[in-house]
Amino acid sequence: MAREQLSRAAYSWNGFASRPELAAALAGHVAGRLTKAIAERGKGLLAVSGGTTPARFFAALSAVPIEWDKVIVTLVDERFVPASSPRSNAGLVTANLLQNAAKAARFVPLYHEAAGIEDAAASDDDALRSLPWPLDVVVLGMGPDGHTASFFPDADDLETLLDPASDRIVLPVHAVSAGEPRLTLSLARIVDAGFIALHIEGEDKRIAFDGAVAPGPRKPIRAVLEAAARPVEIFWAP
């Protein structure tokens, strides 16, 4: 269904001259939000995305001296591959974020051995209910097709994935463009976060974002912007 131009009240744009500047600024924002959460409720719950884009940001955040022993880190989404796979988001987080001061954080991965993606999602759903919801900070990425988390435009049952009233925490994803089955946090859990950042780099991502908020077919990233409890902060560098 075609959509009208998305209101700028749904997001705030932060542009940077370089990717290192972006990484440093985003790390500072995230650390500040986690510190506030720790002061208010004793814990900070952070969910991050994978792919190649966040590695520099992860490295910057890992060196910030906050109370990492009071931080719980989990993933926005994960490929159904073990941590030893080069495509694993858990592997990326371990190698780049859970270093330096951040080694003290508790990490809750999404992947574990299971008979199939549905079984893995059901087990994750049960296991993650013990975390101190809602999320304090979510850092999302976005693909050129407008997908975010693992909400791919060609995903089976996309409307279920994008249900902002779902009581699920983790959902299975089947999409040809994803390359393999995936696990993803539900939209309902993402949009309830205290702070949501969208980290994008490159002109292709800016064009994709501009297209997502313009009139036209609904893109998955737009579903996040429309449903978020508070404005999403966009962090972009060319």
Side-chain angles (χ1 to χ4, degrees):
M1 182 175 67
R3 301 279 168 152
E4 300 299 322
Q5 182 80 27
L6 185 66
S7 169
R8 277 299 304 268
Y11 63 94
S12 176
W13 186 271
N14 302 285
F16 298 88
S18 71
R19 297 180 184 187
E21 288 179 69
L22 184 161
L26 180 55
H29 275 266
V30 170
R33 295 284 178 162
L34 290 173
T35 297
K36 182 174 183 289
I38 291 167
E40 291 177 350
R41 55 187 198 131
K43 292 286 185 183
L45 183 54
L46 166 67
V48 295
S49 297
T52 57
T53 300
R56 184 182 283 109
F57 153 64
F58 286 166
L61 180 59
S62 75
V64 179
I66 66 174
E67 294 181 276
W68 282 106
D69 60 325
K70 297 178 181 177
V71 174
I72 302 169
V73 180
T74 192
L75 291 163
V76 171
D77 63 334
E78 178 62 284
R79 299 173 175 89
F80 194 49
V81 298
S84 58
S85 168
R87 291 179 58 75
S88 166
N89 289 341
L92 178 79
V93 167
T94 300
N96 295 278
L97 175 55
L98 303 178
Q99 301 293 323
N100 304 310
K103 279 185 177 180
R106 175 189 170 198
F107 179 51
V108 181
L110 298 184
Y111 173 83
H112 60 271
E113 289 188 19
I117 192 71
E118 284 76 15
D119 289 339
S123 294
D124 280 335
D125 206 67
D126 290 339
L128 269 64
R129 287 194 183 275
S130 65
L131 297 184
W133 300 96
L135 290 160
D136 295 298
V137 180
V138 174
V139 182
L140 297 170
M142 186 193 71
D145 60 354
H147 87 263
T148 189
S150 280
F151 307 141
F152 288 87
D154 65 335
D156 295 350
D157 206 5
L158 181 61
E159 289 307 309
T160 297
L161 295 175
L162 297 181
D163 178 4
S166 173
D167 64 355
R168 291 290 301 272
I169 295 177
V170 179
L171 291 164
V173 180
H174 294 277
V176 172
S177 63
E180 63 264 291
R182 302 214 183 183
L183 298 154
T184 190
L185 294 186
S186 66
L187 178 69
R189 295 291 174 163
I190 290 172
V191 299
D192 195 34
F195 175 70
I196 303 174
L198 176 63
H199 176 187
I200 52 177
E201 297 178 354
E203 291 296 338
D204 60 333
K205 298 288 183 71
R206 176 156 193 165
I207 291 169
F209 180 83
D210 289 344
V213 300
R218 190 188 194 203
K219 300 288 188 180
I221 185 59
R222 180 165 179 147
V224 174
L225 298 170
E226 290 175 336
R230 48 199 54 82
V232 174
E233 293 276 347
I234 317 299
F235 287 77
W236 174 84

